[in-house]
Amino acid sequence: MKVEHYVEIFGEQTDMKRLSDIVKEIWKGEGNLVKDLVSIEIYFKPEEKMCYYVINGDVQGKFQV
């Protein structure tokens, strides 16, 4: 079964899978391995066009969408 999650506000749509893929790329870009990912929490604030994330419960970051 394929599930897709989108957030749409003010006529703009954001694919949540794309946001998680970006977080994974950030993780890998910092020299980490995908297999070391235990959890990813994503907090998307469409009114700010910002994505905040927490990886493995302690690595925090953000990026503009």
Side-chain angles (χ1 to χ4, degrees):
M1 176 178 78
K2 182 178 180 180
V3 177
E4 297 180 16
H5 294 93
Y6 297 93
V7 174
E8 186 168 331
I9 187 168
F10 305 123
E12 292 190 36
Q13 188 179 75
T14 300
D15 178 355
M16 296 302 291
K17 181 181 181 319
R18 184 175 74 86
L19 297 181
S20 66
D21 289 344
I22 291 170
V23 173
K24 289 176 188 175
E25 288 302 316
I26 291 169
W27 176 256
K28 290 188 326 186
E30 294 176 351
N32 301 296
L33 301 175
V34 173
K35 70 177 184 119
D36 294 329
L37 279 171
V38 175
S39 65
I40 298 175
E41 299 170 42
I42 295 176
Y43 304 89
F44 176 55
K45 294 187 77 173
E47 68 275 13
E48 296 177 5
K49 295 187 177 183
M50 290 295 293
C51 179
Y52 300 86
Y53 61 87
V54 179
I55 297 174
N56 294 345
D58 64 350
V59 178
Q60 298 179 13
K62 64 182 179 180
F63 60 91
Q64 191 164 16
V65 177

